Amino acid sequence: MNTEYAFGYICRKFTISTLFIFSVNAISAEQGGHKELTQYLDEVRGEFTIPAMAVAIITAGKVSYIEGFGYLDEKLTKPTTDKTLFRAASISKLFTAQAIMKLVERRKLSLDDEVGLYIPQLEKSQITIKQLLTHSSGLTDVIRPASAKQGRSLKRYLELVGGAVPEESESHSFVYSDTNYNLLGEIILSVSGQRYDAFIYDNIFKPAKIRKSHFYDGSDENLAETHPTYRGKLIDKLEQRPYDLAFNPSEGLIANVYDLSQWLTLTLNNNPVILDNHSFDAMLVPQVKTTWGEIYMALGWQVYENEYGKVARHPGSIRGYKSLVLTYPDSKNAIIILSNSSDTPRWEIAKSITDILNKNGEW
């Protein structure tokens, strides 16, 4: 395949009206009163040369808009749909946090438990499960993901992390780290006896009726359908972030917006097939102040307030992919964005969507 998406350059030359023709399911969106929204998203995709993007919107706890934009191939024969799979990156962490809360509900563990109770490689550590959830463990991402060809086992990954654990035991300030959530995945395995992805499937995916989205399982047949890009060009395979089973709990989710919207609808409505009310509420309580202004880490979620009310969010970024789940829990409104470009202005897109929907009285 050519290392450059031809339509990346074409998009810059097309008019907005021509881009509008390229929208997937644009007619259905217009019928739902979302012509302005669809045209705006088409325009953004063209301006930033985003090959493929998918967006879902939830209004008052129900899916109100879901569209795919762009194409999966340079010949423009495979349109992006709401079922197209992207690397969702750190959105994975929300599923890991819900899985931990499920084990808390079953009295299999406590958030105040030290991780050494469940991970032998960290038996001397006084880091707690809650500190992992809130990125306040003191752990950093010294250990990076390794490709399948490198042959690093999960046990070896844990040994390397164990050797990097800080000696001090007092509370630590916020440091965002994939390592925290990879360790939570190992705790899920240790407590449940199930591999991380199997536990997520049985306890979250299955009740949410998620059918196509999945976690990396070591097979090349189960990778994302979209290819990572930067500035309209495909990222060379050697420069792509490798898939690593040890990193599934922090970034291994391969998802589409349809499945994510089904799960997020249940989450916003505190549906008991996922968790009980107390767990949903506990996950939104601010715990640790981040280094990102007035944003706090809750249990999995990043929470703050803006002009429209309380916000709970989680972005995802892997080279060549940008994603975002942004919710307004009180009104049960939400936005989901998946894309295969490092250049996707997800925050600007989310703000513009919010402004459009509020202006039109839909939110």
Side-chain angles (χ1 to χ4, degrees), residues 69-84:
F69 300 85
Y71 293 86
L72 307 185
D73 64 327
E74 60 182 340
K75 294 182 179 180
L76 312 184
T77 61
K78 299 178 181 178
T80 307
T81 74
D82 60 352
K83 306 296 196 310
T84 298

Side-chain angles (χ1 to χ4, degrees), residues 194-208:
Q194 287 185 282
R195 202 170 76 172
Y196 169 80
D197 58 332
F199 186 87
I200 298 295
Y201 175 79
D202 287 345
N203 293 277
I204 301 177
F205 280 15
K206 191 172 181 180

Side-chain angles (χ1 to χ4, degrees), residues 134-146:
T134 57
H135 297 287
S136 57
S137 67
L139 294 173
T140 59
D141 286 330
V142 176
I143 314 303
R144 312 299 290 176

Side-chain angles (χ1 to χ4, degrees), residues 13 29 33 43-44 85 138 216 299 309 317 338 347 349-350 359:
K13 298 179 181 179
E43 180 181 358
V44 169
L85 294 171
Y216 173 63
L299 301 179
S317 295
L338 297 177
W347 304 113
I349 292 173
K359 180 189 70 174

Side-chain angles (χ1 to χ4, degrees), residues 153-167:
S153 66
L154 177 57
K155 180 180 179 181
R156 178 56 182 156
Y157 170 76
L158 294 171
E159 290 172 349
L160 291 171
V161 172
V165 173
E167 294 181 1

Side-chain angles (χ1 to χ4, degrees), residues 8-175:
Y9 290 102
I10 293 172
C11 283
R12 290 186 180 276
K13 298 179 181 179
F14 280 175
T15 63
I16 294 173
S17 59
T18 304
L19 284 169
F20 183 78
I21 296 173
F22 286 161
S23 295
V24 179
N25 298 324
I27 294 177
S28 63
E30 289 179 32
Q31 291 174 341
H34 293 120
K35 182 177 179 179
E36 178 183 4
L37 187 57
T38 298
Q39 184 168 340
Y40 162 72
L41 292 169
D42 258 334
E43 180 181 358
V44 169
R45 188 185 72 81
E47 180 182 354
F48 290 89
T49 59
I50 304 166
M53 181 172 71
V55 175
I57 295 171
I58 297 171
T59 301
K62 295 182 180 179
V63 177
S64 58
Y65 180 96
I66 188 164
E67 298 292 334
F69 300 85
Y71 293 86
L72 307 185
D73 64 327
E74 60 182 340
K75 294 182 179 180
L76 312 184
T77 61
K78 299 178 181 178
T80 307
T81 74
D82 60 352
K83 306 296 196 310
T84 298
L85 294 171
F86 296 78
R87 291 187 77 171
S90 288
I91 290 174
S92 311
K93 293 179 174 71
L94 294 174
F95 290 86
T96 302
Q98 285 190 343
I100 288 291
M101 297 307 292
K102 177 68 73 174
L103 292 171
V104 171
E105 288 181 1
R106 294 174 180 171
R107 301 182 185 278
K108 298 293 186 180
L109 53 75
S110 165
L111 296 183
D112 294 322
D113 286 347
E114 295 178 357
V115 298
L117 291 173
Y118 309 102
I119 304 177
Q121 292 87 345
L122 279 79
E123 62 181 353
K124 296 181 180 180
S125 170
Q126 295 182 341
I127 293 171
T128 67
I129 292 174
K130 180 180 282 189
Q131 287 177 319
L132 295 180
L133 282 167
T134 57
H135 297 287
S136 57
S137 67
L139 294 173
T140 59
D141 286 330
V142 176
I143 314 303
R144 312 299 290 176
S147 66
K149 289 183 179 180
Q150 292 176 275
R152 188 178 70 195
S153 66
L154 177 57
K155 180 180 179 181
R156 178 56 182 156
Y157 170 76
L158 294 171
E159 290 172 349
L160 291 171
V161 172
V165 173
E167 294 181 1
E168 66 272 17
S169 60
E170 65 269 17
S171 296
H172 298 275
S173 58
F174 172 82
V175 178

